[in-house]
Amino acid sequence: MRRLFPPPTATPAETSAETSADTSVFTDVFAEDREWGLDELADAYAYPDPPYGPSGVCLRANMVSSLDGAAHHGGRSKPLSSDADMRIFGVLRGLADAVVVGAETVRREGYRPARARKAFAERRAALGQGPVPAIAVVSASLDLDFSRPLFTEPLVPTIVITGAAASQERVKQARAAGAEVVLAGAGPSGRVDAAAVVTALKELGHTRLLTEGGPTLLGQFTAAGVLDELCLAVAPLIAAGDAKRIVDGPGLAEPEQFALASILEEAGFLFTRYRRIYQ
């Protein structure tokens, strides 16, 4: 893996005592193609403190796309992924307070609880985080299998976020399985309100948020204007077909503007990170 942007040149803030006498050492470290350690990746993807968005929360999305814009192949994202993509996937989870995911993605990808990783234990403890991020599943219908390990075996309770029209029987089943049920959206449609999801998680103390989609949920967050950052892996693959784009939802009145924060590259995969520009 190598860093393409920002250009791998030393700055006074980045240069350590060991490299200050020769900045070419720093440049070579980040320009060369090598496997980055988890600590290096965690530093590269660290959440801003404080969050730069107006909500006091940083909602980051992590998605993968083929060269022709497909968000999945054969209904799953794994065929578009790579070893480096999965390392970054694990790092982003290791940094988050909560991972927000749509019910369709939970069912399709066979979601399981987040697992504790020793590599992130000290970093998480220093930030006052639990051993793993909570998985927060967004579902208006609560059409979920509450007997799955995601609900029965997590290290921290799985959060189920639903709307006003949710079946009370399904709510009881979720709670009986050990899930924490949160209401986000009281409108007559019964839909979950994307902005209310962020507010509800903030009230639970989760301000470093990561959404892994799918495209429909990411479309809702985008339409609500609450997406702060996008981590997009571009796979050197052509998928064709009719797969969704990474964001599937109504068009915005005006496209949201994002600024490029970083690009990493490995084996032809581009790992980009964009931060929203707030006017």
Side-chain angles (χ1 to χ4, degrees):
M1 179 173 289
R2 58 199 177 108
R3 188 176 74 182
L4 302 182
F5 183 85
T9 55
T11 67
E14 293 173 317
T15 305
S16 67
E18 291 79 6
T19 62
S20 58
D22 182 2
T23 58
S24 65
V25 174
F26 179 92
T27 301
D28 289 343
V29 166
F30 287 91
E32 67 177 331
D33 192 0
R34 62 183 177 83
E35 183 171 323
W36 285 31
L38 293 179
D39 280 340
E40 289 177 292
L41 286 171
D43 288 342
Y45 284 97
Y47 279 85
D49 186 21
Y52 43 74
S55 66
V57 171
C58 181
L59 174 62
R60 162 186 287 172
N62 181 36
M63 301 292 285
V64 63
S65 169
S66 67
L67 291 175
D68 55 325
H72 59 78
H73 184 67
R76 302 189 65 192
S77 60
K78 187 175 181 180
L80 302 180
S81 187
S82 68
D83 289 344
D85 183 45
M86 293 311 297
R87 285 202 309 275
I88 292 174
F89 173 91
V91 168
L92 294 180
R93 280 196 164 196
L95 297 174
D97 295 338
V99 176
V100 192
V101 62
E104 181 182 354
T105 299
V106 167
R107 292 188 292 264
R108 187 177 64 241
E109 303 280 358
Y111 261 59
R112 297 183 62 85
R115 59 187 180 89
R117 299 182 63 182
K118 186 177 180 180
F120 302 110
E122 185 175 341
R123 187 183 294 261
R124 293 186 67 84
L127 292 172
Q129 296 173 305
V132 297
I135 305 295
V137 184
V138 179
S139 175
S141 68
L142 296 184
D143 181 16
L144 299 162
D145 184 352
F146 297 118
S147 68
R148 302 289 295 176
L150 177 61
F151 302 100
T152 61
E153 300 177 7
L155 287 176
V156 297
T158 293
I159 302 169
V160 176
I161 305 175
T162 192
S167 161
Q168 289 306 300
E169 181 59 32
R170 297 296 290 167
V171 169
K172 290 178 182 178
Q173 291 174 12
R175 287 176 172 152
E180 182 174 4
V181 180
V182 174
L183 182 67
S189 69
R191 296 177 181 174
V192 178
D193 182 271
V197 169
V198 173
T199 300
L201 290 171
K202 180 182 179 182
E203 290 174 351
L204 292 176
H206 303 313
T207 59
R208 304 172 188 88
L209 303 181
L210 171 67
T211 180
E212 297 169 350
T216 300
L217 180 61
L218 188 51
Q220 293 169 0
F221 282 134
T222 302
V226 293
L227 180 65
D228 300 300
E229 186 172 299
L230 173 64
C231 296
L232 175 63
V234 181
L237 303 168
I238 296 289
D242 57 358
K244 294 178 179 179
R245 295 155 53 188
I246 64 165
V247 180
D248 183 50
L252 303 178
E254 294 290 338
E256 295 283 3
Q257 291 189 329
F258 285 72
L260 181 62
S262 65
I263 306 175
L264 305 178
E265 184 274 337
E266 181 171 308
F269 280 76
L270 297 178
F271 302 98
T272 69
R273 184 162 56 100
Y274 291 86
R275 290 177 174 172
R276 184 178 171 189
I277 298 174
Y278 291 95
Q279 304 299 331

